[in-house]
Amino acid sequence: MKKFLFFIIFFTTTFGFSQAVSTLAGGNTYGYLDGTGTDALFSNPNGICVDAQGNLFVADKSNNRIRKITPSGEVSTIAGSTEGYQDGIGTNAKFNFPQGICIDALGNLYVTEVFNFKIRKITPDGTVSTIAGSTQGFADATGTVAQFSWLGDICIDPSGNLFVADAGNNKIRKITPAGVVTTFAGTTDGYLDGTVSTAKFSYPNGICLDTLGNFYIVDTFNRRIRKISNTGVVTTIAGSTWGNEDGQGTAAKFNYLTGICSDGLGNLFVTDVNNHNIRKIAPSGYVSTFAGSTIGYSDGPISTALFNQPTAVCFFNGNLYIAEHGDNIRKITNNLSIGNFDLKGVTIYPNPSDGNFSISLEKRYLIKVYDVLGKLRFEKDNYSNTIINSNLDKGMYYVRILDEDNNLFIEKIIIK
C-alpha cells in the first residue's frame, strides 16, 4: 500500500514543551560530592526511583551510598558511608554495592545489595534495617534466614510485596511485608517460556510492574524482555540474539540490558547499556530506539543526545530519568511520545511542533484531531499526499487514528 504524509499547519503558541535530554545532576566524572546539579559527583550510579513529589533516589553503587536529588537538582546523601555492612541511621549505616531501589507509598525505600546479598529498608527518617537475606546462596525462608545471589533490581506492588530480580539464582523472588521470601518465577539457568514454576531465565536483572499487575523482566544474558502476566504465565515480548536492531517483538535485538520501567500506558523503556541507548517497546511489542546512539555525553534533542552506558530508568509525570555509568543522572523532559505511534508504519513528528506537523502512514487510516474538551476539530481519510491548513487554535490536541484493521492509536500533541 502507498505511504502518504499528512501535514497539518498550526499557529505558533507560547507552549514550551520539547523532547530534550538534559543533565539533572552529576559532573560527568567519578567522585563523591553533594551539591547542586553538575557540581555534584557520583560513582557508578545504578538504581533509580522517584517519589510523589518528584524527588529522585539513587543507588550510588561505587560510593556505597543512597543519594537524593530534588526536582531543582540539589543532591544530598541520605544513607551510607564507607563500604561494609551495618544497620543504623543515615551515614552511620553501611552498604556494599547498592544496586536496585524502589519506594513505597509511605516513603520507605528498599535497596538491593550486590555483595551483601541483602534487602535493606530505609525509612523516611533515614533509619536503615535489614529485611531479608544473609550470605550468598539460595534459600526461601523468612527474613535473614533467606539467601540470595547477585541481586538486581527491585519493585513493589500495591499490597506492599517486594519482587526482586535474583540474577545469580536466575529467579524472581517475592518478599511479603512480613519478610517471608518465596520463589515467584524461574527455575534453572536457561531460556524457556511457560508457567512461573517452569519458566527459565538467564541472569534476570531488571524488573518493573504495570498498572494491570503484569511484571516485565530484563533477561540480561538471554537479551530479551520477558513478561510475567497477572495469571502467572511467562512470555517473551521482545529480543532475540545479540545486536542493535529495532523491529517487531523477537525481530528486535539488544546488547546488554539492565533497567526497565513502564509509563503507565503500556509502553516500556529499557536501558541497553553497551548500545548506549534507551529503547522503547510499545504495547504491540514494537521496539524503537528512543534516545542515544554511539557512546558519548551530549545533551540536547533526543535525536542527537549521547549516553555513556545508561543503566537504570524511571518514569514520572511525563519525564524519563536515566542513571548512567558515565556518572550522571539525565532527564528527558516532557516526554510526549507515550502513545502507540512507534508501531511499524506510523510516525508522528515533530512533537511538539512550531511549524509543519507530519504523520507518516503506510496504509489507510481515519485521522481525527480533537481538542482538550473532546470537540472534533479535523478529520481526514484518504491515501493521497495532502497539505491542509487546519486553522486550529493554539494549545494541546489529541490525534486519534483508526487503521483499516480497526487498531486504534491515540497521541497527545502540543503545538507551540
Side-chain angles (χ1 to χ4, degrees):
M1 296 184 180
K2 294 182 180 179
K3 175 182 272 192
F4 66 89
L5 292 178
F6 170 64
F7 295 93
I8 308 175
I9 312 301
F10 292 98
F11 292 113
T12 300
T13 76
T14 57
F15 283 87
F17 295 155
S18 62
Q19 284 183 311
V21 179
S22 61
T23 301
L24 179 64
N28 199 36
T29 184
Y30 290 100
Y32 168 67
L33 184 67
D34 288 337
T36 301
T38 55
D39 290 333
L41 297 178
F42 298 86
S43 186
N44 193 11
N46 202 84
I48 185 171
C49 68
V50 61
D51 68 12
Q53 289 73 46
N55 298 296
L56 269 68
F57 298 89
V58 181
D60 192 2
K61 187 158 67 173
S62 294
N63 280 322
N64 298 297
R65 292 170 169 88
I66 306 303
R67 316 283 290 278
K68 175 182 177 180
I69 309 173
T70 67
S72 62
E74 300 228 2
V75 179
S76 59
T77 300
I78 64 169
S81 53
T82 56
E83 178 186 310
Y85 168 64
Q86 183 173 302
D87 288 336
I89 298 177
T91 55
N92 289 322
K94 294 183 179 181
F95 298 88
N96 197 343
F97 265 46
Q99 175 87 357
I101 189 168
C102 71
I103 191 167
D104 68 14
L106 300 177
N108 299 298
L109 294 166
Y110 300 90
V111 180
T112 63
E113 291 181 278
V114 175
F115 294 131
N116 280 331
F117 310 104
K118 294 175 175 63
I119 314 296
R120 314 285 288 279
K121 177 181 179 180
I122 309 172
T123 62
D125 67 359
T127 301
V128 179
S129 60
T130 302
I131 63 170
S134 53
T135 56
Q136 183 179 13
F138 170 71
D140 285 337
T142 300
T144 55
V145 181
Q147 291 180 309
F148 303 93
S149 180
W150 308 116
L151 288 166
D153 212 348
I154 185 170
C155 68
I156 189 166
D157 72 9
S159 300
N161 299 297
L162 297 168
F163 295 83
V164 296
D166 190 357
N169 284 318
N170 302 297
K171 294 174 174 63
I172 307 302
R173 313 285 290 279
K174 176 182 177 180
I175 309 168
T176 69
V180 178
V181 179
T182 56
T183 299
F184 179 66
T187 53
T188 56
D189 181 21
Y191 169 65
L192 182 66
D193 287 336
T195 64
V196 291
S197 60
T198 61
K200 294 182 179 182
F201 302 89
S202 187
Y203 208 81
N205 202 6
I207 184 171
C208 73
L209 179 67
D210 70 12
T211 56
L212 299 177
N214 303 300
F215 290 90
Y216 298 90
I217 311 298
V218 169
D219 195 2
T220 301
F221 289 167
N222 281 322
R223 298 182 172 88
R224 291 170 169 87
I225 305 300
R226 315 284 291 278
K227 176 182 178 179
I228 306 176
S229 71
N230 52 24
T231 59
V233 177
V234 179
T235 55
T236 300
I237 64 170
S240 52
T241 56
W242 177 92
N244 183 12
E245 189 172 324
D246 292 337
Q248 182 67 43
T250 55
K253 294 181 180 181
F254 304 96
N255 187 326
Y256 188 83
L257 295 166
T258 53
I260 188 168
C261 71
S262 170
D263 67 1
L265 297 177
N267 300 290
L268 299 171
F269 296 90
V270 296
T271 52
D272 195 349
V273 177
N274 290 341
N275 281 328
H276 309 288
N277 56 30
I278 312 301
R279 313 287 286 279
K280 179 180 177 182
I281 308 171
S284 68
Y286 187 78
V287 178
S288 60
T289 299
F290 185 67
S293 53
T294 57
I295 186 172
Y297 170 68
S298 177
D299 287 336
I302 59 172
S303 59
T304 59
L306 298 177
F307 296 86
N308 183 356
Q309 295 188 314
T311 57
V313 64
C314 69
F315 187 93
F316 177 74
N317 198 26
N319 298 314
L320 201 64
Y321 297 91
I322 301 107
E324 60 180 340
H325 275 168
D327 304 302
N328 302 309
I329 308 300
R330 313 284 289 280
K331 177 181 179 181
I332 302 180
T333 57
N334 300 307
N335 173 26
L336 299 177
S337 289
I338 55 177
N340 209 6
F341 272 87
D342 53 2
L343 292 173
K344 184 176 181 181
V346 184
T347 305
I348 184 167
Y349 61 94
N351 187 10
S353 171
D354 55 11
N356 292 337
F357 198 93
S358 306
I359 301 174
S360 176
L361 311 171
E362 287 186 348
K363 56 184 176 180
R364 185 171 188 148
Y365 288 78
L366 173 63
I367 304 167
K368 295 183 178 182
V369 179
Y370 294 86
D371 63 23
V372 293
L373 298 178
K375 182 179 179 181
L376 179 64
R377 302 297 297 272
F378 182 82
E379 183 175 1
K380 188 69 178 178
D381 179 18
N382 70 8
Y383 287 124
S384 61
N385 294 341
T386 307
I387 298 177
I388 297 171
N389 188 341
S390 57
N391 292 320
L392 293 175
D393 297 328
K394 64 183 182 180
M396 182 175 73
Y397 297 88
Y398 292 89
V399 177
R400 180 185 186 275
I401 295 183
L402 183 68
D403 73 11
E404 58 190 8
D405 298 320
N406 290 318
N407 295 311
L408 176 64
F409 316 124
I410 299 176
E411 174 72 291
K412 180 171 65 176
I413 60 174
I414 297 293
I415 312 304
K416 60 178 183 177

PDB file of all heavy atoms in Angstrom, residues 169-186:
ATOM      1  N   ASN A 169      20.695 -16.410  40.952  1.00  0.00           N
ATOM      2  CA  ASN A 169      19.909 -17.637  41.052  1.00  0.00           C
ATOM      3  C   ASN A 169      18.960 -17.828  39.874  1.00  0.00           C
ATOM      4  O   ASN A 169      18.199 -18.799  39.848  1.00  0.00           O
ATOM      5  CB  ASN A 169      19.116 -17.656  42.365  1.00  0.00           C
ATOM      6  CG  ASN A 169      19.990 -17.973  43.569  1.00  0.00           C
ATOM      7  OD1 ASN A 169      20.843 -18.854  43.513  1.00  0.00           O
ATOM      8  ND2 ASN A 169      19.791 -17.237  44.656  1.00  0.00           N
ATOM      9  N   ASN A 170      18.954 -16.880  38.937  1.00  0.00           N
ATOM     10  CA  ASN A 170      18.105 -16.961  37.737  1.00  0.00           C
ATOM     11  C   ASN A 170      16.623 -17.062  38.084  1.00  0.00           C
ATOM     12  O   ASN A 170      15.862 -17.769  37.431  1.00  0.00           O
ATOM     13  CB  ASN A 170      18.528 -18.147  36.864  1.00  0.00           C
ATOM     14  CG  ASN A 170      19.968 -18.052  36.447  1.00  0.00           C
ATOM     15  OD1 ASN A 170      20.382 -17.144  35.740  1.00  0.00           O
ATOM     16  ND2 ASN A 170      20.776 -19.007  36.923  1.00  0.00           N
ATOM     17  N   LYS A 171      16.241 -16.296  39.118  1.00  0.00           N
ATOM     18  CA  LYS A 171      14.871 -16.362  39.607  1.00  0.00           C
ATOM     19  C   LYS A 171      14.343 -14.969  39.957  1.00  0.00           C
ATOM     20  O   LYS A 171      15.115 -14.028  40.173  1.00  0.00           O
ATOM     21  CB  LYS A 171      14.789 -17.254  40.851  1.00  0.00           C
ATOM     22  CG  LYS A 171      15.090 -18.722  40.605  1.00  0.00           C
ATOM     23  CD  LYS A 171      15.115 -19.495  41.918  1.00  0.00           C
ATOM     24  CE  LYS A 171      15.271 -20.996  41.690  1.00  0.00           C
ATOM     25  NZ  LYS A 171      16.541 -21.346  41.040  1.00  0.00           N
ATOM     26  N   ILE A 172      13.028 -14.882  40.047  1.00  0.00           N
ATOM     27  CA  ILE A 172      12.357 -13.710  40.600  1.00  0.00           C
ATOM     28  C   ILE A 172      11.822 -14.113  41.959  1.00  0.00           C
ATOM     29  O   ILE A 172      11.071 -15.088  42.083  1.00  0.00           O
ATOM     30  CB  ILE A 172      11.206 -13.233  39.685  1.00  0.00           C
ATOM     31  CG1 ILE A 172      11.689 -13.025  38.248  1.00  0.00           C
ATOM     32  CG2 ILE A 172      10.596 -11.967  40.252  1.00  0.00           C
ATOM     33  CD1 ILE A 172      12.824 -12.041  38.087  1.00  0.00           C
ATOM     34  N   ARG A 173      12.222 -13.373  42.982  1.00  0.00           N
ATOM     35  CA  ARG A 173      11.815 -13.719  44.343  1.00  0.00           C
ATOM     36  C   ARG A 173      10.779 -12.714  44.859  1.00  0.00           C
ATOM     37  O   ARG A 173      10.772 -11.547  44.467  1.00  0.00           O
ATOM     38  CB  ARG A 173      13.030 -13.723  45.280  1.00  0.00           C
ATOM     39  CG  ARG A 173      14.253 -14.468  44.741  1.00  0.00           C
ATOM     40  CD  ARG A 173      14.101 -15.966  44.794  1.00  0.00           C
ATOM     41  NE  ARG A 173      14.142 -16.477  46.161  1.00  0.00           N
ATOM     42  CZ  ARG A 173      15.272 -16.686  46.844  1.00  0.00           C
ATOM     43  NH1 ARG A 173      16.446 -16.376  46.313  1.00  0.00           N
ATOM     44  NH2 ARG A 173      15.234 -17.190  48.069  1.00  0.00           N
ATOM     45  N   LYS A 174       9.938 -13.165  45.751  1.00  0.00           N
ATOM     46  CA  LYS A 174       8.895 -12.338  46.364  1.00  0.00           C
ATOM     47  C   LYS A 174       9.147 -12.248  47.859  1.00  0.00           C
ATOM     48  O   LYS A 174       9.484 -13.250  48.508  1.00  0.00           O
ATOM     49  CB  LYS A 174       7.517 -12.940  46.094  1.00  0.00           C
ATOM     50  CG  LYS A 174       6.366 -12.199  46.774  1.00  0.00           C
ATOM     51  CD  LYS A 174       5.037 -12.898  46.491  1.00  0.00           C
ATOM     52  CE  LYS A 174       3.878 -12.223  47.218  1.00  0.00           C
ATOM     53  NZ  LYS A 174       2.580 -12.904  46.949  1.00  0.00           N
ATOM     54  N   ILE A 175       8.983 -11.035  48.402  1.00  0.00           N
ATOM     55  CA  ILE A 175       9.144 -10.815  49.842  1.00  0.00           C
ATOM     56  C   ILE A 175       7.880 -10.144  50.356  1.00  0.00           C
ATOM     57  O   ILE A 175       7.541  -9.038  49.935  1.00  0.00           O
ATOM     58  CB  ILE A 175      10.367  -9.937  50.146  1.00  0.00           C
ATOM     59  CG1 ILE A 175      11.619 -10.482  49.450  1.00  0.00           C
ATOM     60  CG2 ILE A 175      10.593  -9.824  51.650  1.00  0.00           C
ATOM     61  CD1 ILE A 175      12.780  -9.528  49.461  1.00  0.00           C
ATOM     62  N   THR A 176       7.166 -10.780  51.247  1.00  0.00           N
ATOM     63  CA  THR A 176       5.943 -10.209  51.804  1.00  0.00           C
ATOM     64  C   THR A 176       6.295  -9.126  52.817  1.00  0.00           C
ATOM     65  O   THR A 176       7.437  -9.031  53.280  1.00  0.00           O
ATOM     66  CB  THR A 176       5.105 -11.291  52.495  1.00  0.00           C
ATOM     67  OG1 THR A 176       5.793 -11.725  53.683  1.00  0.00           O
ATOM     68  CG2 THR A 176       4.855 -12.478  51.575  1.00  0.00           C
ATOM     69  N   PRO A 177       5.315  -8.289  53.207  1.00  0.00           N
ATOM     70  CA  PRO A 177       5.582  -7.289  54.251  1.00  0.00           C
ATOM     71  C   PRO A 177       6.083  -7.893  55.563  1.00  0.00           C
ATOM     72  O   PRO A 177       6.764  -7.219  56.338  1.00  0.00           O
ATOM     73  CB  PRO A 177       4.225  -6.605  54.427  1.00  0.00           C
ATOM     74  CG  PRO A 177       3.556  -6.757  53.093  1.00  0.00           C
ATOM     75  CD  PRO A 177       3.976  -8.114  52.603  1.00  0.00           C
ATOM     76  N   ALA A 178       5.780  -9.178  55.790  1.00  0.00           N
ATOM     77  CA  ALA A 178       6.254  -9.857  56.998  1.00  0.00           C
ATOM     78  C   ALA A 178       7.662 -10.417  56.826  1.00  0.00           C
ATOM     79  O   ALA A 178       8.213 -11.018  57.767  1.00  0.00           O
ATOM     80  CB  ALA A 178       5.295 -10.989  57.371  1.00  0.00           C
ATOM     81  N   GLY A 179       8.247 -10.256  55.617  1.00  0.00           N
ATOM     82  CA  GLY A 179       9.612 -10.721  55.389  1.00  0.00           C
ATOM     83  C   GLY A 179       9.729 -12.142  54.895  1.00  0.00           C
ATOM     84  O   GLY A 179      10.836 -12.689  54.842  1.00  0.00           O
ATOM     85  N   VAL A 180       8.611 -12.758  54.510  1.00  0.00           N
ATOM     86  CA  VAL A 180       8.648 -14.138  54.020  1.00  0.00           C
ATOM     87  C   VAL A 180       9.091 -14.146  52.564  1.00  0.00           C
ATOM     88  O   VAL A 180       8.467 -13.512  51.707  1.00  0.00           O
ATOM     89  CB  VAL A 180       7.275 -14.812  54.156  1.00  0.00           C
ATOM     90  CG1 VAL A 180       7.320 -16.238  53.602  1.00  0.00           C
ATOM     91  CG2 VAL A 180       6.828 -14.820  55.617  1.00  0.00           C
ATOM     92  N   VAL A 181      10.180 -14.860  52.286  1.00  0.00           N
ATOM     93  CA  VAL A 181      10.760 -14.908  50.945  1.00  0.00           C
ATOM     94  C   VAL A 181      10.366 -16.213  50.268  1.00  0.00           C
ATOM     95  O   VAL A 181      10.568 -17.306  50.826  1.00  0.00           O
ATOM     96  CB  VAL A 181      12.296 -14.795  51.002  1.00  0.00           C
ATOM     97  CG1 VAL A 181      12.884 -14.873  49.592  1.00  0.00           C
ATOM     98  CG2 VAL A 181      12.708 -13.504  51.687  1.00  0.00           C
ATOM     99  N   THR A 182       9.821 -16.096  49.046  1.00  0.00           N
ATOM    100  CA  THR A 182       9.489 -17.263  48.235  1.00  0.00           C
ATOM    101  C   THR A 182       9.992 -17.035  46.813  1.00  0.00           C
ATOM    102  O   THR A 182      10.335 -15.920  46.425  1.00  0.00           O
ATOM    103  CB  THR A 182       7.967 -17.513  48.199  1.00  0.00           C
ATOM    104  OG1 THR A 182       7.311 -16.332  47.724  1.00  0.00           O
ATOM    105  CG2 THR A 182       7.440 -17.873  49.576  1.00  0.00           C
ATOM    106  N   THR A 183      10.013 -18.109  46.041  1.00  0.00           N
ATOM    107  CA  THR A 183      10.373 -18.008  44.629  1.00  0.00           C
ATOM    108  C   THR A 183       9.114 -17.758  43.825  1.00  0.00           C
ATOM    109  O   THR A 183       8.191 -18.588  43.823  1.00  0.00           O
ATOM    110  CB  THR A 183      11.076 -19.279  44.141  1.00  0.00           C
ATOM    111  OG1 THR A 183      12.286 -19.456  44.888  1.00  0.00           O
ATOM    112  CG2 THR A 183      11.398 -19.188  42.660  1.00  0.00           C
ATOM    113  N   PHE A 184       9.076 -16.622  43.132  1.00  0.00           N
ATOM    114  CA  PHE A 184       7.903 -16.231  42.366  1.00  0.00           C
ATOM    115  C   PHE A 184       7.931 -16.817  40.963  1.00  0.00           C
ATOM    116  O   PHE A 184       6.910 -17.247  40.429  1.00  0.00           O
ATOM    117  CB  PHE A 184       7.831 -14.706  42.309  1.00  0.00           C
ATOM    118  CG  PHE A 184       6.671 -14.169  41.528  1.00  0.00           C
ATOM    119  CD1 PHE A 184       5.375 -14.357  41.973  1.00  0.00           C
ATOM    120  CD2 PHE A 184       6.874 -13.477  40.345  1.00  0.00           C
ATOM    121  CE1 PHE A 184       4.299 -13.855  41.248  1.00  0.00           C
ATOM    122  CE2 PHE A 184       5.810 -12.964  39.619  1.00  0.00           C
ATOM    123  CZ  PHE A 184       4.519 -13.158  40.073  1.00  0.00           C
ATOM    124  N   ALA A 185       9.101 -16.833  40.334  1.00  0.00           N
ATOM    125  CA  ALA A 185       9.222 -17.358  38.971  1.00  0.00           C
ATOM    126  C   ALA A 185      10.661 -17.756  38.705  1.00  0.00           C
ATOM    127  O   ALA A 185      11.594 -17.183  39.256  1.00  0.00           O
ATOM    128  CB  ALA A 185       8.771 -16.320  37.951  1.00  0.00           C
ATOM    129  N   GLY A 186      10.830 -18.757  37.829  1.00  0.00           N
ATOM    130  CA  GLY A 186      12.156 -19.182  37.420  1.00  0.00           C
ATOM    131  C   GLY A 186      12.593 -20.472  38.063  1.00  0.00           C
ATOM    132  O   GLY A 186      12.176 -20.804  39.179  1.00  0.00           O
TER     133      GLY A 186
END
